[in-house]
C-alpha cells in the first residue's frame, strides 16, 4: 500500500502552494473583511489550468484524478477557506456532473468554459424549506414545447452570483417522488431568474452564498442534464465526490490553523522560554497534528477509491459505489470535525491574540464550522454511515 503522493501530484501541490502563499494568503483576511469575491484569484487559477483539475483533457481540463483534485482543495484551504470553497463548488458541483451525465454537445458548450476558467459553475439543490431533506423540493420545471419553464427558490447556493452556469434541480413529475426530480443547466443570460440575496455569514464571506429565485424562467429543452427523473440519482453520485472535496478543504483549514499555532508557540515566550515547551501547549499541538494526519489519510483513501470506482460516465457498479459512499462520508465527517477542533485549539494556543482578526486562527475556526454543515451535516453523515452498515 502506497502512502506517498505520485510525483505528478507532488508537482501540482508545490505549484498550487506557491501560488496560494504568494497570491492568496496576503489578501485572505482582507477579502473576508470586505466580503469580496476575489475574481482575480480565479482568473489566475484558470491560467494555471487548475479550474478543471479532474476534468478530461478532451473538455479542456487538466486530466487529473480525484486525488490530485483533493490535493488542490487542501492547499487552497490551507490559506483561505473561502477560495477553497468556491473552487470546490465550481469543480465538484458545477462541472463534474456535466462531465458525468451530459451529452458531448453539453460538455462542449458548458463544461469546456468551466474547465478552462472562462467562468465558474454552481449547483442549486437546497431550498428554504428543505434543509437536510434535500429531496423535499418545491421548484418545478414544466415542459412547454421545446422549452422547460422553471419556477421556485433555491437557497444557500455557493457561487450563485458569479457563476456562468448553474445546475438547477427541479421537479418534473410531482407524483414520482425521488424519480420525479431532474437537473437543468441555467445560464445568467436566461431571463426569468435573479439573485435575490447574497448572505452575510459567520465566515467564508469571500465566497458568495446566494438565494436564487426563478419566475417563469424558460430554457431550451436541450438543457436537461441526462433524462427526466435522473436528478436524484445524479445528486447522490455527485455528493460522493463533493464530500471528498469538503474533506480535503477541511484538512487544509486544519493544516493552516495548525501551522499558525506552531509558529506562534515556538516564537512566543513566557517565563523565559517558548510556550511550546510547556506541557499544556505541546500536548495540544501534538493532538492537532494527530487529528490532521488521520483525516488526511482517510480523505486520500476516499479520493483513491473514487478514482478506482468512478469513470467519465459516473460510478461503474452499485457495490463499488456503496463502498465509496461509506468512505467518502467517513472522510467528510472526520475531517470537518477535525477542522473545527483544530481551529478552536489554535485560537486557544494564541490566547487573546487568537481572538483578533490580525491573526489567522479565528478565520480558520469560523470557516471550519460550515464544513460540518454543507454537503450534508455531521448528523446526516452519521445517518448515511448507519445505512451503509445496514443499521
Amino acid at each position: 500500500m502506497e502512502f506517498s503522493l505520485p510525483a505528478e501530484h507532488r508537482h501540482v501541490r508545490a505549484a498550487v502552494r506557491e501560488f496560494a502563499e504568494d497570491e492568496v494568503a496576503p489578501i485572505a483576511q482582507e477579502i473576508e473583511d470586505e466580503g469580496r469575491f476575489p475574481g482575480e484569484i480565479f482568473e489566475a487559477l484558470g491560467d494555471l489550468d487548475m479550474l478543471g483539475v479532474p476534468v478530461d483533457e478532451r473538455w479542456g481540463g487538466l486530466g487529473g484524478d480525484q486525488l490530485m483534485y483533493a490535493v488542490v482543495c487542501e492547499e487552497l484551504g490551507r490559506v483561505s477557506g473561502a477560495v477553497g470553497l468556491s473552487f470546490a463548488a465550481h469543480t465538484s458541483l458545477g462541472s463534474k456532473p456535466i462531465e458525468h451525465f451530459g451529452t458531448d454537445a453539453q460538455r462542449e458548450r458548458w463544461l469546456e468554459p468551466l474547465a478552462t476558467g472562462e467562468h465558474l459553475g454552481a449547483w442549486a439543490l437546497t431550498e428554504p424549506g428543505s434543509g437536510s431533506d434535500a429531496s423535499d423540493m418545491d421548484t418545478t420545471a414544466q415542459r412547454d414545447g421545446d422549452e422547460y419553464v422553471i419556477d421556485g427558490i433555491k437557497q444557500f447556493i455557493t457561487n450563485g452570483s458569479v457563476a456562468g452556469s448553474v445546475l438547477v434541480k427541479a421537479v418534473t413529475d410531482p407524483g414520482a417522488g425521488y424519480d420525479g426530480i431532474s437537473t437543468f443547466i441555467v445560464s445568467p443570460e436566461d431571463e426569468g431568474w435573479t439573485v435575490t440575496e447574497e448572505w452575510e455569514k459567520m465566515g467564508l464571506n469571500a465566497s458568495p452564498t446566494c438565494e436564487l429565485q426563478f419566475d417563469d424562467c424558460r430554457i431550451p429543452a436541450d438543457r436537461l442534464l441526462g433524462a427526466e427523473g435522473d436528478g436524484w440519482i445524479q445528486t447522490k453520485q455527485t455528493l460522493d465526490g463533493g464530500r471528498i472535496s469538503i474533506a480535503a478543504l477541511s484538512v487544509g483549514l486544519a493544516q493552516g490553523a495548525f501551522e499558525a499555532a506552531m509558529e506562534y508557540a515556538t516564537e512566543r515566550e513566557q517565563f523565559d522560554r517558548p510556550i511550546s515547551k510547556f506541557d499544556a501547549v505541546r500536548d495540544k499541538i501534538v493532538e492537532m497534528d494527530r487529528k490532521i494526519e488521520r483525516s488526511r489519510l482517510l480523505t486520500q483513501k476516499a479520493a483513491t477509491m473514487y478514482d478506482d470506482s468512478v469513470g467519465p460516465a459516473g460510478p461503474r457498479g452499485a457495490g463499488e459505489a456503496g463502498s465509496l459512499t461509506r468512505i467518502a462520508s467517513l472522510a467528510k465527517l472526520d475531517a470537518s470535525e477535525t477542522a473545527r477542533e483544530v481551529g478552536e485549539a489554535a485560537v486557544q494556543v494564541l490566547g487573546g491574540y487568537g481572538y483578533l482578526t490580525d491573526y489567522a486562527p479565528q478565520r480558520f475556526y469560523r470557516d471550519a464550522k460550515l464544513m460540518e454543515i454543507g454537503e450534508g451535516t455531521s448528523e446526516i453523515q452519521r445517518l448515511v454511515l448507519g445505512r451503509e452498515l445496514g443499521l
Side-chain angles (χ1 to χ4, degrees), residues 276-324:
S276 60
K277 299 298 183 181
F278 292 97
D279 291 352
V281 175
R282 180 204 60 211
D283 292 351
K284 194 178 292 291
I285 291 175
V286 167
E287 185 69 2
M288 294 161 72
D289 184 50
R290 179 185 68 82
K291 291 177 179 179
I292 294 169
E293 190 68 16
R294 180 193 67 203
S295 294
R296 179 179 290 114
L297 288 171
L298 186 53
T299 298
Q300 292 183 354
K301 176 180 179 178
T304 301
M305 287 184 65
Y306 184 98
D307 291 326
D308 289 342
S309 62
V310 177
R316 296 170 182 158
E320 292 173 334
S323 176
L324 171 61

Side-chain angles (χ1 to χ4, degrees), residues 151-231:
D151 290 281
I153 297 175
K154 292 296 181 178
Q155 183 71 286
F156 303 139
I157 310 307
T158 302
N159 295 344
S161 60
V162 296
S165 60
V166 183
L167 300 184
V168 179
K169 304 290 177 176
V171 176
T172 47
D173 185 351
Y178 290 109
D179 295 331
I181 298 172
S182 304
T183 310
F184 299 90
I185 306 171
V186 177
S187 165
E189 297 178 358
D190 298 323
E191 297 182 358
W193 74 279
T194 57
V195 177
T196 50
E197 189 77 51
E198 189 167 316
W199 300 102
E200 184 174 339
K201 307 182 294 289
M202 172 179 166
L204 300 161
N205 281 297
S207 173
T209 302
C210 306
E211 178 183 88
L212 312 181
Q213 183 166 334
F214 297 84
D215 293 306
D216 196 35
C217 176
R218 291 179 172 270
I219 61 172
D222 63 9
R223 301 275 196 84
L224 173 67
L225 190 66
E228 276 198 17
D230 284 353

Side-chain angles (χ1 to χ4, degrees), residues 102-117:
T103 64
D104 281 355
Q106 288 173 331
R107 291 168 183 148
E108 183 177 359
R109 169 64 182 86
W110 300 103
L111 179 58
E112 284 191 25
L114 295 170
T116 58

Side-chain angles (χ1 to χ4, degrees), residues 49-169:
D49 292 329
M50 289 298 112
L51 291 183
V53 171
V55 175
D56 194 281
E57 292 175 303
R58 179 183 177 188
W59 309 115
L62 190 64
D65 54 17
Q66 188 76 1
L67 180 59
M68 183 180 290
Y69 168 49
V71 167
V72 176
C73 285
E74 179 181 338
E75 289 302 321
L76 292 176
R78 177 175 163 266
V79 297
S80 170
V83 170
L85 180 64
S86 279
F87 171 80
H90 157 80
T91 307
S92 293
L93 304 182
S95 301
K96 288 298 287 184
I98 302 176
E99 182 174 31
H100 281 164
F101 310 118
T103 64
D104 281 355
Q106 288 173 331
R107 291 168 183 148
E108 183 177 359
R109 169 64 182 86
W110 300 103
L111 179 58
E112 284 191 25
L114 295 170
T116 58
E118 183 178 328
H119 57 68
L120 294 181
W123 196 61
L125 170 65
T126 305
E127 299 187 0
S130 60
S132 291
D133 183 6
S135 65
D136 182 14
M137 199 171 295
D138 293 327
T139 298
T140 60
Q142 295 184 337
R143 183 71 182 255
D144 184 13
D146 293 332
E147 296 179 320
Y148 281 94
V149 183
I150 303 176
D151 290 281
I153 297 175
K154 292 296 181 178
Q155 183 71 286
F156 303 139
I157 310 307
T158 302
N159 295 344
S161 60
V162 296
S165 60
V166 183
L167 300 184
V168 179
K169 304 290 177 176

